[in-house]
C-alpha cells in the first residue's frame, strides 16, 4: 500500500483502491490495446475519432464537388468509388444520398459523440475530480471496444454491393424500411442499425461510468461546487445520454422488426414496386417522435462537452474566473432538462397536430434563454482579462463565435410559422453546422491543443496551431455562412442537383465558393494532423503545468502513469477559478493550495474555512457533506 | 499525368516539412524564449487578426445582404406567406442587431484585453444584477417573437373554410399527381391503396359515385384569391409538398392524409409581369428525402384567374373517361351514372344528373 496516511482513515472507500497498480507493468496488449486505464482509452477514442473525422470530411468534400461543380468530370474518382461513378463520369444520385447519410451519421455519432465525449470525459474526469481511474476500468474498456466494433460494422457497409444506408442520418421509414425504395435500405441499412445498436451500448457503458465516477470518486474537498465546468458538462452530457439513447435503441429495434419480421410499427398503406404491401396501422410519425427524442438531446450531447471545455480554457487563458460559475451550471442544467421537451420542433410540418407545434415552439424558444446566458457569460469572462491566445484559446473563441452565429438562426427555425418555409432547406444545414457541427468541432480541437501536454507529455507547435486556427475559422465561415442565403432562397437540402428547377437555378457562384472553401478547410486539417503526430514524438517537452492552470490534472507528473498521482491523491481546498485573485502572488492559485497558505488573498468567508482545514490536520472536510 | 501531380504534391510537402524543421531549429539556436515572451509577440498578431476578421466579415455580411437582396429572396405569392415573411424579417432585424452588438463587444474585448506584461486581470466572478438583466431581456424579446409566431401559426393551421377548393396531391417515387374533385359533384371520391395498379394510380374506389368525375392532372392549377385546401398523401415513402413561392410545406405520409390550406395572391401571368421574366413558372418541389430521384420530383404549378381556372377544370377529362376499361369495376346499378358523370355519355338532361344523388 503506497498511501498509508491519515487520509485513508476517514475516506477509505475511494482512496486506496488503485494505488497498488502504480508499478504494475502490463504487456503490449494490456497496456495499449485492451487497456483499462482511462488515459489510454481516451487516446483510443481520440485516434478513432480523428480517423472518422477525416472520413466524414472527405465524404463531404466529394458531395460538395457535385454541388459546387455540377459539370465536373469525376472519372478520376473511379479507382476509389468504382461503380458509383456513372459512365458519364458523374456521381450516382443514390450514392450522393449515401454519402450525405454516412457523412451525417459519422460526424454526429462517431466524431462528435464518441470522439469528443469519449476522449475528454475519459481523460479529464478522473484527472480533474482527483481519482485514480474510472469507477470501472473494465466497463470503460468495453465501452471503447463496442464503439470500435460499431465503427467497423459501419465501415464494412461502405463496401457492400448495394452501398451503405442512404435514407439520411435520420433514417426515416418507410424509406429506410423498404429495400425496394432505395438500394441503401438493403444490407446497408441493416448494418447501420447493427452499428448504431452497438454504438448505443458503448455510449451507455461510458455514460454510466462517467456519472458514477463524478458522484463517487471525487477526492477530498472536491465538492460539487468545486468541480470545474468541464466536469459539470460531462456529467450532464452523460445523464442526457443515459436517458435518451435507450429511446433510439427502441426506435431502431422496432425498425428492425418492421424490416425483417413483417410488423407494422411505422408502415401503413404502402404501394411500391407494383404491389401493395400488407402493412396497415403503423405510423411513420411515430418513428420521428422516437428518433428526435434522442435526436434533439443528441445535439446537446455533442455541444455541452464542447461548452465545458471552452469554459475551462477561456477562464484559464483570460486569467480570470469564469463569470457566473453558478449561472453556467444552472444554464447547463436548464438546457439539459429542456433538451428533452423540444424534440418535435423538427416535425412542425410532418403532419403532426398543429397544436403540438405551438407547444413545442414555446418550449424551443425558452431554451434560447440559457443559451444566451452562456454567451453573455463568456463575453464577460473576456472583459478585463489578460488574454493569452494559445491555440486552445483561439479555438474556444471560435466556438463562442459559431455558437452565437448558429444559435441566432435557431430563433428563426424554432418559430413554427417561419419554419414552414425554412424546414429542410439549406438554412437548416447552415444552422446546425455552425451551432452543433463547427462549435463542437472547435471545442474538440481546443481540448486537444489544451490537454495535449497532459496526454502526451509534449507541447504542440503553437505557430502551426495559429495557422490551423485561422484557416479553419475563416474556412468554416466561408463554407457555412453562404448557405444561409441559399436557404433563404429556398434551396432544399439532400438534393443531388438543382438544375431541374427554375426556382433553384441561381447561386452557382455561391455554391462553387462553398465547395472551394470546403476543400481548403479540409486541407487545413492536415496542418493539424502533422502537428499532432509530429509533436507526439518530437514536440518540446511539456512542463507539468504549461498554462498555469488551477485544476488537478496539472498536479500530476508530466507523464502520469496508471493511477495518475505517484503518491497520495491531492486534496482540494478551493474552487477551480482562483485566477488573478487580488492580493495573491501569482495570477493563479491551484485547487490544492489551502486557504491557510494564502491569507493575503482570502475573501472573508474563505478565512472562515481555514478553521475547517486545520482542525482536521490534513484533509479538508467537505462543507457540503459528502459522507 | 496523375503520377506527376502526385510526385509534385509529395515534393511540396517535403519542402514544407524541411522549412518547418529548419525554422524550429533556428528558434532553438536563438535560445529558447520563455512562454511569456512568446505569447507576447504572437499574441498581438492574433488579437489584431480578430479585429480585422470582425470588421471584414461584418462588412461583407451587410454588403452582400443588401446588395444581393433581390437574388436570395423569393417573391411571395400567398396570403400567409406575407405574414410569415414579415415575421422572418422582424426576427432578422432583432437578431441581427443583437448579433452585431454581441460580436462587436466580444471581438473588441478580445483585442483590448490581450495579454500585456504586468497587467493583472480583474477578479470578477459574478454579478447577480447583470445576470438577471441578461436573462430577463432575452426572455421578453423571445416572448414577443413567440406570441406573434403563435398567432400566425394558429391562423395558418386552422381548419379550411367550407368553400375552399379541395385538391388532392399524391406523391410517389418520383412524381406528383393531382386529383381534382370534378365539376359535376365537386367531391373527391374514395380510394384504397390496395386498389392501386399501373393504370388506377390513385387507387380509386369505383364503387363510390364521387369518383366518376374526378380528374387527374400533372400540372397543379390553382385559382387566385380563393382558398385552396391541399389533401396530401403518399403511396410509398415520405415526400414533402414544397411550394416555395407560396411558403407552403407539408409532408406526404403513407397511411395518413395531411392538409395545408393557403390562398394564392398572384397569377402566373402577374408574377411574370412583376419579375419581368416572361418564362417564369411556379413550381412544386419535394422537400423530404425519398430516394434516388428526390432532386427531380418537380410539378409545374399554374395560378389562374378564377374564371380561367373554372374554364380549365371544365376542359379536363374525367379519369374514368380516359380509362373506360375501368367501367367494369363500377357496380351495375351505377354504370349509367358513371357514364354520364365521367362525360362518356352526353348528359340527357338535368334530371339525369340528379340520379346519382
Ligand atoms: C468539411 C466540413 C463539412 C462540410 C463541407 C459539410 C457539408 C455538408 C453539406 C453540404 C450537407 C448537406 C448535404 C445535403 O443535404 O445534400 C451536410 C449534411 C450534414 N452534415 Fe456536414 N459538413 C461538414 C462537417 C460536418 C460536421 C463537423 C458535422 C457534425 C455535426 C456535420 C453534420 C452533418 C449532418 C448531420 C448532415 C445531415 C445529413 C443528412 O442530411 O442526413 N457536418 N454537410
Ligand atoms: Cu432539435
Ligand atoms: Cu423527395
Amino acid at each position: 500500500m503506497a498511501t498509508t496516511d491519515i487520509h485513508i482513515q476517514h475516506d477509505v472507500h475511494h482512496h486506496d483502491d488503485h494505488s497498488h497498480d502504480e508499478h504494475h507493468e502490463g504487456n503490449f496488449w494490456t497496456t495499449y490495446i485492451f487497456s483499462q486505464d482511462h488515459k489510454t482509452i481516451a487516446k483510443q477514442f481520440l485516434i478513432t475519432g480523428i480517423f472518422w473525422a477525416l472520413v466524414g470530411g472527405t465524404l463531404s468534400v466529394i458531395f460538395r464537388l457535385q454541388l459546387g461543380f455540377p459539370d465536373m468530370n469525376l472519372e478520376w474518382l473511379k479507382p476509389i468509388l468504382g461503380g458509383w461513378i456513372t459512365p458519364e463520369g458523374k456521381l450516382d444520385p443514390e450514392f450522393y444520398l449515401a454519402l450525405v447519410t454516412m457523412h451525417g451519421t459519422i460526424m454526429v455519432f462517431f466524431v462528435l459523440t464518441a470522439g469528443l465525449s469519449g476522449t475528454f470525459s475519459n481523460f479529464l474526469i478522473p484527472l480533474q475530480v482527483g481519482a485514480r481511474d474510472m469507477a470501472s476500468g473494465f466497463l470503460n474498456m468495453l465501452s471503447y471496444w463496442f464503439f470500435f466494433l460499431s465503427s467497423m460494422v459501419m465501415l464494412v457497409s461502405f463496401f457492400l454491393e448495394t452501398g451503405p444506408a442512404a435514407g439520411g442520418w435520420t433514417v426515416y421509414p418507410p424509406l429506410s424500411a423498404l429495400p425496394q425504395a432505395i438500394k441503401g435500405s438493403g444490407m446497408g441499412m441493416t448494418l447501420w442499425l447493427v452499428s448504431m445498436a452497438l454504438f448505443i451500448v458503448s455510449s451507455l457503458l461510458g455514460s454510466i461510468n462517467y456519472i458514477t465516477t463524478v458522484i463517487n470518486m471525487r477526492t477530498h474537498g472536491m465538492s460539487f461546487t468545486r468541480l470545474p465546468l468541464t466536469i459539470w458538462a460531462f456529467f450532464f452530457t452523460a445523464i442526457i445520454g443515459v436517458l435518451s439513447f435507450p429511446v433510439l435503441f427502441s426506435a431502431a429495434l422496432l425498425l428492425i422488426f418492421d424490416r425483417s419480421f413483417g410488423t407494422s410499427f411505422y408502415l401503413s398503406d404502402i404501394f411500391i414496386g407494383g404491389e401493395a404491401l400488407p402493412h396497415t396501422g403503423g405510423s411513420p410519425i411515430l418513428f420521428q417522435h422516437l428518433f428526435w427524442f434522442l435526436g434533439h438531446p443528441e445535439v446537446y450531447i455533442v455541444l455541452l462537452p464542447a461548452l465545458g471545455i471552452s469554459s475551462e480554457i477561456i477562464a484559464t487563458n483570460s486569467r480570470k474566473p469564469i463569470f457566473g460559475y453558478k449561472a453556467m451550471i444552472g444554464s447547463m442544467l436548464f438546457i439539459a432538462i429542456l433538451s428533452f421537451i423540444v424534440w418535435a420542433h423538427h416535425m412542425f410540418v410532418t403532419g403532426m397536430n398543429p397544436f403540438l407545434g405551438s407547444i413545442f415552439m414555446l418550449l424551443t424558444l425558452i431554451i434560447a434563454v440559457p443559451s444566451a446566458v452562456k454567451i453573455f457569460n463568456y463575453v464577460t469572462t473576456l472583459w478585463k482579462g489578460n488574454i493569452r491566445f494559445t491555440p486552445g484559446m483561439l479555438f474556444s473563441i471560435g466556438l463562442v463565435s459559431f455558437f452565437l452565429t448558429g444559435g441566432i438562426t435557431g430563433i428563426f427555425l424554432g418559430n413554427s410559422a417561419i419554419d414552414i418555409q425554412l424546414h429542410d432547406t439549406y438554412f437548416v444545414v447552415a444552422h446546425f453546422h455552425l451551432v452543433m457541427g463547427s462549435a463542437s468541432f472547435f471545442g474538440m480541437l481546443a481540448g486537444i491543443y489544451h490537454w495535449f501536454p497532459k496526454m502526451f507529455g509534449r507541447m504542440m507547435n503553437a505557430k502551426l496551431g495559429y495557422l490551423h486556427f485561422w484557416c479553419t475559422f475563416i474556412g468554416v465561415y466561408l463554407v457555412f455562412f453562404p448557405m444561409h442565403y441559399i436557404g433563404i432562397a429556398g434551396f432544399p437540402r439532400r438534393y443531388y442537383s438543382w438544375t431541374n428547377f427554375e426556382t433553384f437555378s441561381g447561386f452557382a457562384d455561391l455554391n462553387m465558393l462553398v465547395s472551394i472553401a470546403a476543400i481548403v478547410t479540409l486541407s487545413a486539417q492536415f496542418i493539424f494532423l502533422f502537428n499532432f503526430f509530429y509533436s507526439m514524438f518530437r514536440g518540446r517537452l511539456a512542463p507539468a503545468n504549461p498554462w498555469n492552470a488551477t485544476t488537478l490534472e496539472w498536479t500530476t507528473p508530466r507523464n502520469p502513469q496508471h493511477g495518475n498521482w505517484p503518491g497520495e491523491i491531492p486534496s482540494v481546498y478551493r474552487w477551480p477559478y482562483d485566477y488573478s485573485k487580488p492580493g495573491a502572488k501569482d495570477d493563479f492559485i491551484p485547487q490544492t493550495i489551502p486557504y491557510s497558505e494564502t491569507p493575503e488573498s482570502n475573501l472573508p468567508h474563505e478565512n472562515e474555512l481555514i478553521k475547517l482545514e486545520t482542525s482536521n490536520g490534513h484533509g479538508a472536510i467537505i462543507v457540503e457533506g459528502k459522507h | 499525368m496523375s503520377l506527376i501531380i502526385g510526385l509534385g504534391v509529395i515534393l511540396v510537402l517535403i519542402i514544407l516539412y524541411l522549412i518547418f524543421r529548419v525554422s524550429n531549429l533556428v528558434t532553438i539556436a536563438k535560445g529558447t524564449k520563455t512562454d511569456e515572451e512568446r505569447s507576447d509577440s504572437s499574441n498581438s498578431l492574433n488579437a489584431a487578426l480578430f479585429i480585422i476578421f470582425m470588421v471584414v466579415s461584418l462588412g461583407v455580411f451587410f454588403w452582400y445582404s443588401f446588395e444581393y437582396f433581390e437574388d436570395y429572396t423569393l417573391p411571395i405569392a400567398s396570403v400567409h406567406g406575407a405574414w410569415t415573411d414579415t415575421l422572418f424579417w422582424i426576427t432578422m432585424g432583432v437578431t441581427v442587431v443583437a448579433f452585431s452588438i454581441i460580436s462587436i463587444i466580444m471581438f473588441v474585448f478580445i483585442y483590448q484585453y490581450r495579454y500585456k506584461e504586468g497587467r493583472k486581470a480583474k477578479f470578477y466572478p459574478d454579478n447577480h444584477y447583470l445576470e438577471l438583466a441578461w436573462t430577463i431581456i432575452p426572455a421578453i424579446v423571445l416572448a414577443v417573437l413567440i406570441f406573434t409566431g403563435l398567432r400566425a401559426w394558429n391562423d395558418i393551421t386552422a381548419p379550411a373554410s367550407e368553400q375552399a377548393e379541395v385538391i388532392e396531391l399524391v406523391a410517389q417515387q418520383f412524381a406528383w399527381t393531382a386529383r381534382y374533385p370534378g365539376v359535376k359533384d365537386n367531391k373527391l371520391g374514395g380510394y384504397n391503396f390496395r386498389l392501386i395498379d399501373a393504370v388506377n394510380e390513385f387507387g380509386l374506389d369505383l364503387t363510390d359515385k364521387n369518383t366518376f368525375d374526378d380528374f387527374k392532372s400533372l400540372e397543379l392549377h390553382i385559382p387566385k384569391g380563393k382558398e385552396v385546401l391541399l389533401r396530401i398523401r403518399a403511396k410509398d415513402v415520405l415526400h414533402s409538398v414544397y411550394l416555395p413561392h407560396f411558403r407552403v410545406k407539408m409532408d406526404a405520409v403513407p397511411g395518413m392524409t395531411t392538409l395545408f390550406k393557403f390562398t394564392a395572391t398572384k397569377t402566373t401571368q402577374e408574377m411574370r409581369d412583376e419579375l419581368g421574366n416572361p418564362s417564369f413558372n411556379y413550381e412544386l418541389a419535394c422537400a423530404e428525402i425519398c430516394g434516388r430521384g428526390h432532386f427531380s420530383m418537380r410539378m409545374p404549378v399554374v395560378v389562374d384567374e378564377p374564371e380561367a381556372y373554372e374554364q380549365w377544370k371544365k376542359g379536363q377529362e374525367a379519369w374514368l373517361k380516359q380509362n373506360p376499361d375501368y367501367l367494369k369495376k363500377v357496380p351495375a346499378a351505377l354504370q349509367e351514372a358513371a357514364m354520364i358523370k365521367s362525360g362518356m355519355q352526353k348528359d340527357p338532361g338535368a334530371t339525369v344528373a340528379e340520379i346519382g344523388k
Side-chain angles (χ1 to χ4, degrees), chain A residues 307-327:
Chain A
L307 292 176
I309 287 171
S310 62
S311 305
E312 189 63 29
I313 296 177
I314 287 178
T316 304
N317 289 298
S318 305
R319 313 311 293 162
K320 278 187 68 186
I322 190 83
F323 181 79
Y325 174 74
K326 295 232 164 85

Side-chain angles (χ1 to χ4, degrees), chain A residues 292 295-297 299-300 342-343 345-346:
Chain A
W292 287 112
H296 193 83
V299 173
Y300 292 97
V342 298
W343 77 86
H345 63 207
H346 300 271

Side-chain angles (χ1 to χ4, degrees), chain A residues 92-94 97 166-168 172-175 181-182 268-272 276-277 280 284 288 318-324 327 348-351 354 358 361-362 365 368-369 373 376-377 379-380 382-389 394 397 400 404-405 408 411-412 415-418 420-424 461-462 464 466 469-470 473 477 481 485 488-490 493-497 500-503 507 510 530 534 538 540 546 575 578-582 584, chain B residues 17 20-21 24 35-36 38 42-43 46-47 49-50 53 61 64-65 71-74 84 87-88 91-92 95 98-99 102-103 105-107 109-110 113-116 119-127 130-131 134-135 138-139 142 145-147 149-150 152-154 156-157 173 193-194 196-197 234-238 242-245 247-251 253-256 258 260 279-281 283-292 294-298:
Chain A
D92 181 86
E94 218 157 289
L97 295 178
Y172 283 179
L175 183 62
I182 190 168
S268 186
D269 298 19
I270 292 169
F271 179 89
I272 192 168
L277 303 184
T280 48
Q288 301 178 16
S318 305
R319 313 311 293 162
K320 278 187 68 186
I322 190 83
F323 181 79
F348 287 138
V349 292
T350 55
S358 320
M361 160 178 178
L362 207 83
L365 293 188
V369 175
V373 168
F376 294 136
N377 284 10
V379 173
T380 316
L382 296 169
W383 178 68
K384 294 209 169 173
N386 199 15
I387 305 172
R388 299 180 316 200
F389 296 105
L394 293 179
I397 292 172
V400 178
L404 173 64
T405 314
I408 289 263
I411 297 173
F412 294 78
N415 188 328
S416 51
I418 301 178
I420 296 172
Q421 176 72 359
L422 296 178
H423 180 69
D424 269 341
N461 182 297
L464 286 183
Y466 303 148
F469 169 76
W470 285 106
F473 185 57
Y477 266 123
F481 207 86
Y485 298 108
I488 295 171
R493 69 191 270 213
R494 293 163 174 168
Y495 263 37
Y496 167 73
S497 122
N500 288 294
F501 292 86
E502 289 165 43
T503 315
F507 284 127
L510 271 196
F530 169 75
Y534 178 87
R538 313 211 38 187
R540 204 157 50 83
W575 78 326
D578 268 348
Y579 287 108
S580 301
K581 214 169 177 191
Chain B
Y17 177 76
F20 172 74
R21 278 301 290 161
N24 239 6
D35 253 1
E36 307 290 289
R38 243 165 25 94
S42 318
N43 229 51
N46 278 314
L49 284 175
F50 272 119
F53 171 80
F61 164 51
Y64 192 94
S65 300
D71 290 2
Y72 67 84
T73 45
L74 284 175
T84 57
L87 285 178
F88 179 89
T91 312
M92 185 66 89
T95 52
F99 170 75
I102 300 170
S103 299
I105 291 179
M106 181 172 88
F107 285 112
F109 282 177
I110 285 171
Y113 300 111
R114 67 194 182 280
Y115 177 83
K116 285 211 187 73
R119 194 184 57 219
K120 191 153 187 173
K122 184 179 169 68
F123 186 82
Y124 192 62
D126 52 14
N127 176 333
L130 212 55
E131 288 171 89
W134 66 45
T135 310
L142 284 168
L145 292 179
I146 291 173
F147 285 110
L150 270 182
W153 174 251
N154 288 341
I156 294 167
T157 57
Q173 286 180 328
F193 81 103
R194 292 187 203 282
I196 299 176
D197 59 40
K235 294 205 286 198
D236 37 36
V237 299
L238 294 174
Y242 175 30
L243 293 159
H245 295 95
R247 311 305 194 248
V248 168
K249 195 175 284 133
M250 181 52 69
D251 283 7
V253 184
M256 182 176 109
T258 54
F260 202 108
S279 61
F280 170 88
N281 277 311
E283 293 176 304
L284 187 161
C286 179
E288 184 66 64
I289 183 173
C290 56
R292 183 181 188 86
H294 172 50
F295 70 102
S296 59
M297 250 180 96
R298 172 180 182 274

Side-chain angles (χ1 to χ4, degrees), chain A residues 119-132:
Chain A
T119 304
F120 290 102
S121 297
N122 267 312
F123 191 75
L124 291 179
I125 289 178
L127 284 173
Q128 287 196 334
V129 305
R132 301 255 178 233

Side-chain angles (χ1 to χ4, degrees), chain B residues 208-278:
Chain B
D208 176 357
K209 58 189 179 338
N210 289 332
T211 56
F212 301 156
D213 65 341
D214 292 0
F215 67 86
K216 163 188 161 177
S217 173
L218 293 175
E219 253 183 14
L220 180 64
H221 277 255
I222 48 181
K224 172 187 155 186
K226 182 165 186 212
E227 190 168 86
V228 171
L229 175 67
L230 298 179
R231 297 182 60 88
I232 303 161
R233 65 181 165 114
K235 294 205 286 198
D236 37 36
V237 299
L238 294 174
H239 302 267
S240 188
V241 171
Y242 175 30
L243 293 159
H245 295 95
F246 305 94
R247 311 305 194 248
V248 168
K249 195 175 284 133
M250 181 52 69
D251 283 7
V253 184
M256 182 176 109
T257 305
T258 54
L259 305 172
F260 202 108
K261 69 157 207 294
F262 69 103
T263 308
T265 52
K266 291 172 197 163
T267 63
T268 302
Q269 191 54 48
E270 282 168 345
M271 194 57 111
R272 284 177 181 168
D273 296 343
E274 182 184 318
L275 297 177
N277 174 5

Side-chain angles (χ1 to χ4, degrees), chain A residues 109-146:
Chain A
F109 293 110
F110 291 176
V111 181
L112 294 180
T113 304
L116 178 61
S117 268
T119 304
F120 290 102
S121 297
N122 267 312
F123 191 75
L124 291 179
I125 289 178
L127 284 173
Q128 287 196 334
V129 305
R132 301 255 178 233
D133 205 318
M134 280 292 178
S136 165
F138 178 70
L139 290 188
N140 210 18
M141 177 189 83
L142 276 190
S143 160
Y144 174 74
W145 287 104
F146 268 103

